[in-house]
Amino acid sequence: MIIPVKKRIQIFDTTLRDGEQAPGASLTPEQKIVLAYKLAELGVDVLEPGFPISSPGDFAAVETISRKVQGVEICGFARAVRGDIDAAVRATRDAERRRIHLFISSSDIHLRHQLRKSRPEVVAAAREMTAYARQFCEVVEFTAMDAARTGIDDLIEMVEAVIEEGASIINLPDTVGYALPHEYGEMFRRVRLGARGGEKVSYSAHCHNDLGLAVANSLAAIAGGATQIEVTVNGVGERTGNCALEELVMALETRGDALGAETGIVLDKLYDTSRIISGAMHFPIAYNKPVVGRNAFQHESGIHQDGLLKDRSTYEIMDPERLGIPRSMIILGKHSGRHALKDRAAKYGIALDAAELDALYESFKETADRQKAVSDDELLRMVSTATGQQAQVYELGDVQVLAGSAPRRVAAVTVRHLQNGTEKAYTSTGSGPLEAVIAATSQGIAEHISFAGLELHSLGSGENAQAEAAVMVEWEGSKFRGTAIHQDIVMAAGIAYIAACNAALLSAQVEQVREAAFPVVE
């Protein structure tokens, strides 16, 4: 049996350039350098770290990234203007591998209303500036901006001109997210086959998501002959954003046999990279965001939960753990069934008999009907009541936080060790009340468990709104998640932190029991 060879798609990441152009997403040069390393570790092939001519900070960031970040091609972005090209050339001069990426508009709409130039003038500028850039760099990428709304003959004329002057990569963007997939794919086919020299160069797609079609259009471009896709992490970018790196990569990974294409992205770094970019840009990730959204691998329906517990493939087409996502697929809410409750208790090392499960289920349903979800902390308390066993290791007691205009906040907490019956008070400070409470609480945890992240969400509006906190901790190389719901966001965070620590410690206890029952025989 002959296995067909898949086409290798180059991932061109423009998170730090086009992604940063989203309102409110700007990054400092120092942040860009840190993120550039992360994107290189993710395995992107080309990195566009900024627009050198746009500001001294952007120039410095591109220059530093070019000098320090290895193993990835660095792209200097420029308008088809000598000054822009000069800045891009200088900023990328120390790169291990580099390219110059210049652009000019190609559609009648842009020529008439933005550039206010005739088509011969614009084609002449594209030709002249491509030749100029080619003097300094072997790899020149040319972008015909608004290509998707350009007449095909006009587009071919411009592409032919820049190919003659040495452009080796042609980018045909859907700049305003207007194209339909069949139209976009056909444009690539017609240019590739219709332009003189068109089959001797590579093609790139750069899609925006105004109609929610950026990923679909990018896949259509691949079918039409594109071998490079320009993406951003989390789909950030102008207006509704760009083609999302994680969505494109997982479409190719999941349906690669049908699409005949693959990438070199390191899958288990997708989730962490997504969260780091989200945090740096202060752009929250939608709950229902494909691949990396909070709900992407979480299931509340009892029917779905039952299927997943029997075989993951019943309701999941991707394995979250391959993407670096902690396994927490079962969300306990009013639609959950007994199987999910029994499974969650088992993960904490607690086996429930029929009577205990019935008692737990009755209490659980009553709570779930009153609120959107049941947190780990609440569930463990219910399990303790239903079984008469202490299901928790630690519990957060009294919490007092001193707020005000001073630069540091002071928190005092009590932490109960439920399995040995002790309770102690701890105090600490932090730059905010949440930091102070976490710092104080951590003193009461005997084990060296590291705080790894916090998410806060509102579960309503008005005076009775509650906050849901999700805390991630790391212990002995593994990550554990705890959730809590409270009207006070500080309390929610503190309780969620304790719940995450309990999850880690109870998981360890389960593993110790398993090892004792099934010792390794050498």
Side-chain angles (χ1 to χ4, degrees):
M1 178 181 176
I2 299 175
I3 300 176
V5 177
K6 294 179 182 177
K7 179 167 63 174
R8 175 67 153 76
I9 301 301
Q10 299 286 300
I11 296 298
F12 178 117
D13 186 275
T14 186
T15 304
L16 306 182
R17 198 277 300 171
D18 201 336
E20 193 202 14
Q21 291 175 196
S26 61
L27 301 165
T28 66
E30 293 75 21
Q31 285 178 309
K32 283 196 173 190
I33 294 164
V34 171
L35 295 176
Y37 279 113
K38 293 294 182 182
L39 292 166
E41 292 171 4
L42 181 63
V44 303
D45 300 288
V46 185
L47 183 61
E48 190 170 65
F51 192 176
I53 196 68
S54 65
S55 73
D58 239 25
F59 183 95
V62 175
E63 185 177 45
T64 303
I65 290 166
S66 298
R67 186 180 305 125
K68 292 186 174 182
V69 180
Q70 305 295 306
V72 61
E73 187 175 351
I74 305 297
C75 181
F77 187 66
R79 293 168 297 183
V81 175
R82 282 180 185 267
D84 283 32
I85 294 169
D86 290 341
V89 169
R90 291 197 309 273
T92 60
R93 64 181 177 271
D94 295 328
E96 182 181 50
R97 290 180 292 119
R98 69 165 175 171
R99 76 173 60 168
I100 302 301
H101 179 196
L102 66 152
F103 71 96
I104 197 168
S105 293
S106 60
S107 69
D108 286 339
I109 293 172
H110 279 210
L111 267 60
R112 184 181 307 119
H113 299 294
Q114 185 176 25
L115 297 183
R116 298 182 180 178
K117 292 183 178 180
S118 67
R119 185 161 298 281
E121 288 177 307
V122 173
V123 172
R127 180 187 291 277
E128 180 185 357
M129 291 300 101
T130 300
Y132 182 68
R134 186 65 179 79
Q135 296 177 76
F136 306 106
C137 189
E138 290 185 6
V139 182
V140 174
E141 176 176 339
F142 177 83
T143 286
M145 191 161 68
D146 206 22
R149 294 194 297 173
T150 304
I152 194 65
D153 292 335
D154 293 333
L155 186 58
I156 287 174
E157 178 189 12
M158 181 175 283
V159 169
E160 285 180 341
V162 298
I163 289 175
E164 288 177 7
E165 300 302 331
S168 55
I169 303 168
I170 304 299
N171 180 36
L172 305 177
D174 183 17
T175 303
V176 293
Y178 179 75
L180 298 176
H182 70 278
E183 297 170 340
Y184 196 58
E186 181 64 18
M187 177 186 68
F188 278 86
R189 280 186 283 272
R190 293 184 68 178
V191 171
R192 182 167 53 85
L193 299 175
R196 287 190 301 273
E199 292 191 273
K200 297 179 181 179
V201 297
S202 299
Y203 289 87
S204 180
H206 179 115
C207 297
H208 281 262
N209 206 37
D210 297 71
L211 296 177
L213 296 172
V215 174
N217 281 338
S218 297
L219 295 174
I222 292 171
T227 54
Q228 175 181 280
I229 305 296
E230 304 187 6
V231 298
T232 60
V233 175
N234 299 333
V236 295
E238 295 275 7
R239 304 181 311 280
T240 56
N242 294 46
C243 175
L245 180 152
E246 60 284 348
E247 295 178 30
L248 177 82
V249 166
M250 290 314 299
L252 293 176
E253 175 69 19
T254 306
R255 302 304 312 276
D257 291 339
L259 296 168
E262 62 184 1
T263 74
I265 292 296
V266 182
L267 299 184
D268 64 7
K269 294 186 180 296
L270 278 173
Y271 182 68
D272 276 347
T273 305
S274 167
R275 292 175 65 83
I276 290 166
I277 295 291
S278 172
M281 291 185 166
H282 302 293
F283 264 39
I285 300 170
Y287 285 0
N288 62 337
K289 171 81 167 64
V291 182
V292 294
R294 176 182 171 184
N295 291 351
F297 297 98
Q298 295 184 348
H299 309 266
E300 184 184 327
S301 162
I303 295 173
H304 285 218
Q305 290 175 348
D306 181 58
L308 283 161
L309 292 171
K310 291 172 179 174
D311 191 297
R312 184 187 62 79
S313 65
T314 53
Y315 289 102
E316 286 185 350
I317 61 172
M318 295 173 279
D319 182 355
E321 291 173 316
R322 286 190 67 204
L323 314 182
I325 301 175
R327 167 59 75 180
S328 55
M329 66 182 183
I330 302 297
I331 294 298
L332 298 176
K334 68 178 184 179
H335 301 110
S336 300
R338 284 177 168 81
H339 287 174
L341 277 178
K342 187 174 183 178
D343 177 75
R344 181 64 63 84
K347 282 181 168 56
Y348 289 117
I350 300 167
L352 300 172
D353 61 29
E356 290 170 337
L357 181 58
D358 285 343
L360 174 63
Y361 187 68
E362 183 178 342
S363 174
F364 167 80
K365 279 294 188 181
E366 181 181 339
T367 302
D369 273 336
R370 286 189 278 104
Q371 55 195 44
K372 291 179 179 292
V374 176
S375 68
D376 296 338
D377 175 71
E378 290 173 311
L379 178 67
L380 287 173
R381 286 204 302 269
M382 292 179 198
V383 169
S384 298
T385 300
T387 64
Q389 304 175 46
Q390 186 49 256
Q392 298 165 286
V393 180
Y394 293 105
E395 183 178 63
L396 187 64
D398 294 332
V399 174
Q400 297 291 330
V401 184
L402 181 62
S405 58
R408 305 291 289 176
R409 306 292 186 266
V410 179
V413 308
T414 57
V415 178
R416 303 185 187 103
H417 194 305
L418 298 174
Q419 295 183 348
N420 63 21
T422 62
E423 179 177 321
K424 290 184 179 181
Y426 304 91
T427 61
S428 188
T429 62
S431 56
L434 292 174
E435 181 182 343
V437 167
I438 296 299
T441 305
S442 65
Q443 296 176 31
I445 308 297
E447 296 76 11
H448 296 292
I449 299 175
S450 301
F451 182 85
L454 165 67
E455 291 182 12
L456 284 172
H457 308 282
S458 173
L459 296 181
S461 59
E463 295 178 356
N464 296 321
Q466 291 185 311
E468 180 187 32
V471 167
M472 192 76 71
V473 299
E474 190 166 349
W475 189 46
E476 297 185 346
S478 297
K479 290 184 177 179
F480 302 89
R481 185 172 182 267
T483 60
I485 297 170
H486 201 283
Q487 277 191 288
D488 187 315
I489 61 172
V490 175
M491 286 297 299
I495 296 169
Y497 176 53
I498 288 285
C501 292
N502 282 331
L505 298 171
L506 292 169
S507 174
Q509 291 178 14
V510 173
E511 188 60 33
Q512 290 168 4
V513 171
R514 184 180 294 113
E515 288 176 356
F518 303 99
V520 176
V521 180
E522 296 184 355

